[in-house]
Every structure is written in structure tokens, then in C-alpha cells.
Amino acid sequence: MKAYKEMSREELLALKEELAHQYEDVKAKGLKLDMSRGKPAASQLDMEMDFLDALNSASDVKTEAGVDCRNYGLLDGIPEAKKLMADMLGVTADQVIVCGNASLNIMYDTIARSMIFGVLGSTPWCKLDQVKFLCPVPGYDRHFAITEQFGIEMINIPMTQQGPDMDLVEKYVNSDPAVKGIWCVPKYSNPQGYTYSDETVRRFAALKPAAEDFRIFWDNAYVIHDLYEDKSDALLEILGECEKAGNPDMVYEFCSTSKVTFAGSGISAVASSKANLDFFKKTMTIQTIGYDKLNQLRHVRYFKNIDGMKEHMKKHAAIMRPKFEAVLAVLERELGGLSIGSWTKPNGGYFISFESMEGCAKAIVERCKEAGVVLTGAGATYPYKKDPADSNIRIAPTFPSEQELALATDLFVLCVKLVSVEKLLAQ
Amino acid sequence: MKAYKEMSREELLALKEELAHQYEDVKAKGLKLDMSRGKPAASQLDMEMDFLDALNSASDVKTEAGVDCRNYGLLDGIPEAKKLMADMLGVTADQVIVCGNASLNIMYDTIARSMIFGVLGSTPWCKLDQVKFLCPVPGYDRHFAITEQFGIEMINIPMTQQGPDMDLVEKYVNSDPAVKGIWCVPKYSNPQGYTYSDETVRRFAALKPAAEDFRIFWDNAYVIHDLYEDKSDALLEILGECEKAGNPDMVYEFCSTSKVTFAGSGISAVASSKANLDFFKKTMTIQTIGYDKLNQLRHVRYFKNIDGMKEHMKKHAAIMRPKFEAVLAVLERELGGLSIGSWTKPNGGYFISFESMEGCAKAIVERCKEAGVVLTGAGATYPYKKDPADSNIRIAPTFPSEQELALATDLFVLCVKLVSVEKLLAQ
């Protein structure tokens, strides 16, 4: 393959014409596909329908300690569910509160709580002139949407394969008392699928924040979401590292079973120090009498324990892996050597991150949409939806069927080529 | 029976000695009973165990419109659940958002949202020097706990059998722009079991608030929770009344199935005007991807429709009614004519409200506790836990078995007598 940049103007013009023809042909097919969100496929959900049988009218609905899960009580979750979610994160049950159906909701509430009530006795953030959050980029759009809604100023921190640029993180956190938090997806990061290195985690744990109420929002969304049995990433457990480093209260860790059982009908958890959890519970006990304990029990009965949950994740991986591999194969075959894009090859998570030539991402996504394939909006992986280089595109291969995915990926690489040629011609 | 107030000092002293003996006898039994919260009894929950079969591995898990309830999507609830909850409230599905497992959580979030983002464009309440709420008393402790936590000043409004004292409500709402809300349990009020009269509802709808962001928090927790088939209270539908009165945005109405299916594992809903719901959704869409749609579907499949739900409520009533009647019979038999207390005789809901002689409620609750029966803390039915007359006690007859309830009620009336005698002797 010849890199596009090395082509003559004539070669590019000829190529453009050819690609434009191909594009019109695909457009004529009238595709209607969605690769925009990290949603499990129907086949993944079909595979686990027996989850719905885990509790039925013949079930014992009491916890081991005898609490009736059909009635009010147990604000912080049933002990068995605390154990299960703790094992997922590699922490202990007393470091965990099990909540409702979405960890996003816990994160939102945690920010809201900090705005109104402060953090462990600090000034409520809404009373401050300035509150800033560090945002590793590219990152998760729903994180950025929360901080944006609360008027929190977001600062881009470039991601590396080892995690966020820690020199920058340390510079901001250790010097600016307005910096109150950082959003992290430490394992199989959204969208790149990078896992923070041990050194990165240790540098996080060793931060010396200028703000006493600085917190790391550690969204461990893909903690057990490996694609391969023989090459899964390992992430250092951060609560323990922070404690060792003398920063026991610096992290809030989040996780859920949204992509373990049913999306939107899972259970979620937050893990942190006793001081933080006690503070959480002071507001939680006013906000709710308790979360859905029957759904907690349903999870416990279905998986039995963390080993059962991990076995279950292998079934998800078996369905997802071929999709990731198919997309990667097409990218390599069609774009390899052209120097018009690069992409990540994650060992887990829900996304592949694509970097186009500068200034091309929006146009590529637009072209795909015109031909019937919806991708995550270009820019969505950056705060304020502003990708300064206009180059990042998040690919979510899981939701479409394998056949749909093949069609969508073919269209995607075609659009990458077409937009890249147009860009080069315009230069 | 001779009223205690008409007894001579000698008679009272003799009575006191006799009652004190009886009390010591009961104390020796070592009771351990809980009448503190409005919780359904195990027998009610046993009755509806087949609810857990309503969805199983063989179920169709799509909505009628074809949405897969196992995956993300539908922020405001599945259409069928919106219809069911709307029918519960007597409104239309488009006036409803179906949320998670607890209406308390919606109410809390609604206050939090108003604090941070204001109401339909008004100044966020946290930016104001003063925010006040009207609190009909006696009322629901968890309502008061929310407004207390947010530092909202609470003003007592006495309840009557027709609802809150509307002269006072109109005086405050129509003149003071700092009054931003009022807590209402309009049907089978907590704890008295009163239902607001049509006139009360119409006067609510016709309020002319000094504050544009004044809202009625209409917690219709017991909307279909009748105890008797032949004498259920009727409540005028307030959304329609407010619209007629030119105040379409003035009400947020809340309900849930916490005491219809399983407490803590139900679904909840908020009903309001389109403008209010659109405003809600602007923050909700950042807070969550969606609520638990499988549990919404489970409810729809179990009940089929509102008729099925109402039939189901008759089964709850059949279990609860004898308990209410047993308590009322003991109160009448033991305290009737003594002029040391009065009580309500509700047609629905979860509570009986007891008024002791002034200054006796705390002591009665304390005595009960000492002998092993936990009641709702005296004062809990008032903002800041301060019952100015120290006279209101909330009786929750549902949770104990009939046998336990008999023991607890006997103790209760004994304590009322004993404390009343002591009070009279101390005067």
C-alpha cells in the first residue's frame, strides 16, 4: 500500500473519484446501523436469560443473616452483594456500598453531594468561585456531561498507553486548590482500552493535592471485562495503594453489573474509605430507604460468587471477541500502511479508539451517518464535545450483529479514505 | 369509664400503683416488637411471591413497541409502565416519568435539582438567602428530613380532617416569595389517614404563589391503598385542577409501588406538566442512562393493567384490615371515655395517629421501648422532630403479626394510662 501522503495530486484525484463511486454504491444500500454506544448485543442478553430465573416464587428471599429482601432496610446493600461487588474490585465488603441500577447515578449524586454539602466537611463546591476537574482525553462523554452540567471547569489531560499524563496531573493537582477531581476509567479505558500502569496508579496514590477535598473518580467500569483469556490487563488496586501512601480518603471507586447482567437492570457499587462512606451514608439515608435488595439477591444467587461472575464474563467475551477482531482485521487490511489513521487494539472493554488525520473526524462521522451508520459523535470523547484536533472517533463494535458490523466497518474505512483524500487535496 | 381528669388524687395514686404493677409484669415478658415503620408484613409479601415469576427465562422481554428491556434506553420509562402508573394517579401516560425503586429518591432529587439548578429557569435555591417549605403537621418524617438536610426552613401548618389549614397555606404561599414548596400526603395522610377534601384540593389549585418557583410536592403514596371496599376515600385529581385554575406547572405528584409489590423493589413515578417533566429530563439524562426497565416490565406483566393492580390491593387490605381493627378495638375498649387520648380511624394508608394529653408522647414512647415495643419516635411527625405539644404518636400496625400486635397494643394503652396518671399527679 502506498501512503496517501506520498501520492501525487493526480493519483489522489483518481482515488477520490473511485472512492466517491464506492460511497454512492454503499449509500444506495440504505443501511440503518448503530455503532454509537457501548451496548451489549441481543445475543449477549439472550445468553443470560436464565438470570431472570435466579429468583422465583419458590426462592428463599432472605439473606444469610435472615434479612427479608422483600422489605425495607439495609441502606448500604445486603452483605452478600457487598462481598460480590467487593470481590469484583479486589477490596473488602466493608469498603463497599451497593446501590441501584447504575454507577453513573452514583457518580452524579457524588458530584451533586459535593456541590451542596462539600466533602467531609469542606466548603460546598457551589459556594466556591471556581471548581475544576481534570479530564483524561479522549474519555467518557457521560463523565464530562456531569461536570459540565454542574458548571465545573474541565481541563484536558492527554492519555498515554500507561494512563493519563501524570506529570500534568501532578502539576495541576498538587498546585491548584480549585482542582477538586479527576475522571478516570483505569482499566480498558473508554474509548482507547488502555489500562493504567502500576506506576501510574502509584503516582495517583502519591498525589499531594492542594485541595483537601480533591478526589479521584475511579470508574472501574470494565474491571472484569476481558476479551481474551490469555492476555488480560492487570490493574493495581488503588484503595490499598492510597492507604499505603497516606491518602486513604482520596479515591471514590465505582463499578456496576450493567455489562455483566442486563444493561440498566444491574446493580452498582461505590468503594471508598470508611470516612467517605460514612459521609455518603449521611445523605443517602435521607435520599432513600434503600436500594433494590431483590435485584441484589438475584445477582448473588445467579453468580454464587466472584468465580461464577468471572466465568460468566467469558461467555460475553466469546460473543464480543469476534466482533472486535473483525473490526481490527478490516482496519488493518484497508487502512494499514496508508498513514491516514491509527487505532487501538484493546484486550477488554467496549471500544476501539480511532485517530484520523487532523481535522477529519467530524467529516468521517458525518459521511457514515449520511450512508446510514451512526457512530458516536465526533468530539464526544472530549469535554465540551471539543476535540481540538478533530481526530478521535470511538468505535463501539458490540451492539450490531457480526453481519451488520461487517457492513458498518466497510463503510467506516471507506469514509476514512474518502475524507482523508479530500483533506489532502484541500491542503 | 371515669375520665382520669375527674379522679381524685387518691384514686389516681391507687390507679398509678396498679398500672405500675401491670407494667412491670409486661416488662418481665421481655417483648421485642417493632411498630415503628410503615412496613408491610411478611404475610403480605408471601401473598405476592408469584410476582417474582412475572418475568423468567421464557419471557418476551420487549415492550409492545419492540424495545428490548434488557438493554439501555428509554429514560422516562417503558410506555406500558407509564400507562400503569398514570392510571394509578388518574392522569395520562404523557404526564408521567417512571423512575427507580423509590419515590422518596425522586423527591430528594427534585429538591436537590431545585437547589442547584432552580425551577424552570428560576434562581437556584442554594443562591437564595432563605428558602421555606410549609409542612402540614403531623406529617411524614422522611419529607421533613429532606428539607432539613438542605437547610430549608420548615413552617408547621396544622392538619384538619379536610387537609392542611388552607387559610394559613394561602397566607404564606400567596404573600411570601421565600416559600417554595409544601409537603403533602393528600390521601390517607401520614400519620392521620386523612384525605384532602375537594375544597382543599381546589384551594391548592387556585393558589397565587408569590414565588414563581413555588411547587406543591404531592406525595400520593397511598393513592390505591384502601382498607375497606365499601368506604374508601376519594381524592380529586390535582393536575387537572391546577390546569383548570391556570397553574399547570404548580404540582409535582409522586407515587410508587413500594407498598403494592415489594417494599424497596417497586417502581416509582413522578407526574407533572410537560414543562416540568422536560426540565426534569434535562438533568435526568445526565444523571442516568435509564431506570430498571425489566422491573417496570415485571410490574406490567404481573398486573396487566390498573384493574389487576387494584384487585391485588384488596389482598393487601384483607391482611391489613384486621390489624387496624384490632388496634382500634383495643384503643376504644381501654381508653374510650378516659379523656387521656384520641385517635384517627383511617379508611386506608399505613398508620393510625394517636394524640395523647399534652406533654405525654415522649414518655409513652419511652415506656413502650423500655418494655420492648419500639414505636416511631415521639416528635418524628413534626419538622426538626419537635412536636410543640409533645402529644402525637404514630402507630404503624402493619408489620407485626396479629399476635404480636395484640401484645404491643396492650402495652401501648397501658403506657398511655400510666404516663397520663403520672402527668395528672404532677400537675
Side-chain angles (χ1 to χ4, degrees):
Chain A
M1 297 261 200
K2 192 172 181 180
Y4 279 18
K5 283 169 194 165
E6 289 160 21
M7 286 186 182
S8 68
R9 189 164 177 84
E10 288 65 37
E11 284 175 308
L12 285 172
L13 281 167
L15 183 58
K16 183 189 161 188
E17 194 170 343
E18 187 195 326
L19 294 168
H21 273 297
Q22 290 177 20
Y23 180 74
E24 291 308 318
D25 288 348
V26 178
K27 220 169 137 181
K29 286 187 198 169
L31 299 180
K32 217 183 155 186
L33 301 172
D34 192 342
M35 284 218 294
S36 70
R37 304 298 319 178
K39 292 166 74 169
S43 54
Q44 289 172 259
L45 306 173
D46 290 343
M47 169 274 289
E48 57 194 4
M49 278 296 281
D50 58 341
F51 174 74
L52 293 174
D53 302 329
L55 281 191
N56 59 50
S57 55
S59 297
D60 171 12
V61 283
K62 290 193 171 161
T63 67
E64 280 169 42
V67 172
D68 190 337
C69 293
R70 303 168 304 179
N71 219 326
Y72 292 117
L74 282 188
L75 177 67
D76 57 355
I78 66 172
E80 293 91 332
K82 288 171 78 165
K83 174 80 169 76
L84 184 65
M85 300 306 271
D87 285 345
M88 202 170 158
L89 296 176
V91 302
T92 57
D94 60 344
Q95 292 176 296
V96 165
I97 297 175
V98 182
C99 301
N101 76 321
S103 56
L104 188 73
N105 206 149
I106 317 180
M107 294 179 230
Y108 183 95
D109 285 0
T110 303
I111 301 275
R113 185 185 302 118
S114 308
M115 293 295 292
I116 301 172
F117 302 113
V119 175
L120 280 188
S122 77
T123 306
W125 295 356
C126 71
K127 304 281 186 199
L128 301 174
D129 290 334
Q130 226 182 4
V131 177
K132 301 177 190 169
F133 252 63
L134 305 184
C135 300
V137 289
Y140 180 32
D141 56 350
R142 291 190 189 272
H143 286 163
F144 305 153
I146 293 175
T147 25
E148 183 173 0
Q149 185 165 68
F150 284 101
I152 293 171
E153 183 186 332
M154 294 182 278
I155 297 165
N156 291 358
I157 303 289
M159 277 290 288
T160 74
Q161 292 201 34
Q162 283 71 49
D165 177 336
M166 289 308 295
D167 290 343
L168 261 184
V169 170
E170 286 164 358
K171 194 193 104 185
Y172 280 113
V173 173
N174 296 353
S175 70
D176 186 351
V179 172
K180 300 297 188 190
I182 180 169
W183 289 117
C184 296
V185 181
K187 191 166 177 185
Y188 303 134
S189 67
N190 179 349
Q192 291 164 308
Y194 294 153
T195 297
Y196 295 11
S197 69
D198 290 359
E199 195 204 332
T200 297
V201 175
R202 290 202 182 96
R203 286 178 75 177
F204 264 112
L207 286 170
K208 310 236 167 301
E212 51 162 8
D213 49 354
F214 168 82
R215 291 292 181 273
I216 301 164
F217 285 65
W218 198 253
D219 182 3
N220 216 338
Y222 307 109
V223 55
I224 56 167
H225 300 58
D226 305 314
L227 284 170
Y228 303 93
E229 288 183 40
D230 56 342
K231 49 171 182 172
S232 62
D233 295 0
L235 173 72
L236 209 53
E237 194 288 294
I238 193 163
L239 286 179
E241 292 302 316
C242 282
E243 207 176 317
K244 273 191 265 176
N247 280 322
D249 300 328
M250 200 169 57
V251 183
Y252 305 136
E253 183 168 15
F254 308 94
C255 71
S256 80
T257 65
S258 287
K259 289 174 181 100
V260 177
T261 54
F262 293 127
S265 300
I267 58 177
S268 62
V270 54
S272 197
S273 67
K274 185 176 183 312
N276 284 332
L277 294 189
D278 285 348
F279 185 72
F280 277 36
K281 281 188 263 188
K282 262 193 225 169
T283 47
M284 276 184 180
T285 193
I286 306 297
Q287 186 173 22
T288 182
I289 307 177
Y291 300 98
D292 185 341
K293 290 191 300 298
L294 284 175
N295 205 29
Q296 293 177 17
L297 188 67
R298 194 177 281 118
H299 278 76
V300 169
R301 293 288 168 79
Y302 186 62
F303 292 122
K304 309 275 190 304
N305 53 43
I306 186 63
D307 295 330
M309 195 185 257
K310 285 183 176 168
E311 277 306 307
H312 183 74
M313 292 310 288
K314 291 182 188 170
K315 298 183 203 164
H316 281 295
I319 298 171
M320 293 165 63
R321 196 167 48 234
K323 295 184 180 179
F324 274 77
E325 288 175 346
V327 171
L328 291 170
V330 173
L331 291 173
E332 187 56 44
R333 188 187 70 220
E334 295 294 324
L335 303 180
L338 300 187
S339 293
I340 55 173
S342 61
W343 53 91
T344 59
K345 299 170 190 68
N347 291 332
Y350 261 69
F351 304 103
I352 292 166
S353 182
F354 185 85
E355 286 290 326
S356 70
M357 289 168 54
E358 272 205 35
C360 290
K362 271 206 180 106
I364 294 167
V365 170
E366 190 48 46
R367 287 281 183 152
C368 285
K369 191 176 166 190
E370 238 176 83
V373 171
V374 179
L375 297 171
T376 308
T381 53
Y382 280 74
Y384 312 108
K385 297 194 169 64
K386 281 183 195 153
D387 174 359
D390 184 25
S391 63
N392 187 255
I393 297 173
R394 186 178 79 165
I395 300 175
T398 54
F399 185 63
S401 68
E402 286 186 49
Q403 198 184 3
E404 291 169 338
L405 187 64
L407 289 168
T409 313
D410 286 346
L411 173 66
F412 176 73
V413 293
L414 176 59
C415 293
V416 171
K417 289 177 187 173
L418 184 55
V419 170
S420 301
V421 168
E422 288 171 345
K423 182 82 185 175
L424 288 167
L425 281 169
Q427 275 169 359
Chain B
M1 296 264 199
K2 187 171 181 180
Y4 279 19
K5 284 169 193 165
E6 290 159 20
M7 286 186 181
S8 67
R9 189 163 177 83
E10 288 64 36
E11 284 174 309
L12 285 171
L13 280 168
L15 183 59
K16 182 190 161 188
E17 194 171 345
E18 187 196 324
L19 293 168
H21 273 299
Q22 289 176 20
Y23 181 74
E24 290 309 317
D25 288 349
V26 179
K27 220 169 138 181
K29 287 187 197 167
L31 299 181
K32 217 183 154 186
L33 302 172
D34 191 342
M35 284 219 292
S36 70
R37 305 298 316 178
K39 293 166 73 169
S43 54
Q44 289 172 258
L45 306 172
D46 290 343
M47 170 273 289
E48 57 195 3
M49 278 296 281
D50 58 341
F51 174 74
L52 293 174
D53 302 329
L55 281 191
N56 60 48
S57 56
S59 297
D60 171 12
V61 282
K62 290 191 172 162
T63 67
E64 281 169 41
V67 172
D68 190 337
C69 293
R70 304 167 304 179
N71 219 327
Y72 292 118
L74 283 188
L75 177 68
D76 56 356
I78 65 173
E80 293 91 330
K82 288 170 78 166
K83 173 83 169 75
L84 184 64
M85 300 307 270
D87 286 344
M88 202 170 157
L89 296 176
V91 301
T92 58
D94 61 343
Q95 291 176 298
V96 164
I97 298 175
V98 183
C99 301
N101 76 320
S103 57
L104 189 73
N105 206 149
I106 318 180
M107 293 180 230
Y108 183 95
D109 285 1
T110 303
I111 300 275
R113 185 185 301 118
S114 308
M115 293 295 292
I116 300 171
F117 302 113
V119 175
L120 281 188
S122 77
T123 307
W125 294 356
C126 71
K127 304 282 186 198
L128 302 174
D129 290 335
Q130 226 181 4
V131 177
K132 300 176 190 170
F133 252 63
L134 305 185
C135 299
V137 289
Y140 180 31
D141 55 349
R142 291 189 190 272
H143 286 163
F144 305 152
I146 293 175
T147 24
E148 182 172 1
Q149 186 166 68
F150 284 101
I152 293 171
E153 184 187 330
M154 295 182 277
I155 298 165
N156 291 357
I157 303 289
M159 278 288 290
T160 74
Q161 292 201 34
Q162 282 72 48
D165 177 335
M166 290 309 294
D167 291 341
L168 260 184
V169 170
E170 287 163 357
K171 193 192 104 185
Y172 280 112
V173 173
N174 296 354
S175 70
D176 187 351
V179 172
K180 301 296 187 190
I182 181 168
W183 288 118
C184 296
V185 181
K187 190 167 176 184
Y188 304 134
S189 67
N190 180 348
Q192 290 164 308
Y194 294 153
T195 296
Y196 294 11
S197 69
D198 290 357
E199 194 203 333
T200 297
V201 175
R202 290 203 182 97
R203 286 177 74 177
F204 264 112
L207 285 170
K208 310 237 164 298
E212 51 162 7
D213 50 354
F214 168 82
R215 291 294 181 272
I216 301 165
F217 285 66
W218 198 252
D219 182 2
N220 215 339
Y222 307 110
V223 54
I224 55 168
H225 300 59
D226 305 315
L227 284 170
Y228 303 92
E229 290 183 39
D230 56 342
K231 49 171 183 174
S232 61
D233 294 0
L235 173 71
L236 210 53
E237 195 287 294
I238 192 162
L239 286 179
E241 292 302 316
C242 281
E243 210 177 315
K244 273 192 264 174
N247 281 321
D249 301 327
M250 199 169 58
V251 182
Y252 304 137
E253 183 168 16
F254 309 93
C255 71
S256 80
T257 64
S258 286
K259 288 173 181 102
V260 177
T261 54
F262 293 127
S265 298
I267 57 177
S268 62
V270 54
S272 198
S273 68
K274 184 174 184 312
N276 284 333
L277 294 188
D278 285 348
F279 185 72
F280 275 37
K281 281 190 264 190
K282 263 194 224 168
T283 47
M284 276 184 180
T285 193
I286 305 298
Q287 187 174 23
T288 183
I289 307 177
Y291 300 98
D292 185 341
K293 289 192 299 299
L294 284 175
N295 206 29
Q296 293 177 18
L297 189 65
R298 194 176 280 119
H299 278 77
V300 170
R301 294 288 168 79
Y302 186 61
F303 292 122
K304 309 272 190 304
N305 53 43
I306 186 64
D307 295 330
M309 197 186 257
K310 285 183 177 168
E311 276 306 307
H312 183 74
M313 291 310 288
K314 291 182 189 169
K315 297 183 205 166
H316 280 295
I319 298 171
M320 292 164 64
R321 196 166 49 234
K323 295 184 181 179
F324 275 77
E325 288 175 345
V327 171
L328 291 171
V330 173
L331 290 174
E332 186 55 46
R333 188 187 69 220
E334 294 295 323
L335 303 180
L338 299 187
S339 293
I340 56 173
S342 60
W343 52 91
T344 59
K345 299 171 191 68
N347 291 332
Y350 261 69
F351 303 104
I352 292 165
S353 182
F354 185 86
E355 286 289 327
S356 70
M357 288 168 55
E358 271 205 38
C360 289
K362 271 206 182 107
I364 293 167
V365 170
E366 190 47 46
R367 288 280 184 154
C368 284
K369 190 176 167 192
E370 236 176 85
V373 171
V374 179
L375 298 171
T376 308
T381 52
Y382 280 74
Y384 312 107
K385 296 195 171 67
K386 281 182 196 154
D387 174 0
D390 184 23
S391 62
N392 187 254
I393 297 172
R394 185 178 79 165
I395 300 175
T398 56
F399 186 63
S401 67
E402 288 186 49
Q403 197 185 4
E404 290 169 339
L405 187 65
L407 289 168
T409 313
D410 285 346
L411 173 66
F412 175 73
V413 292
L414 176 59
C415 293
V416 170
K417 290 177 187 172
L418 184 55
V419 170
S420 302
V421 168
E422 287 170 345
K423 182 81 184 172
L424 288 168
L425 281 168
Q427 277 169 357

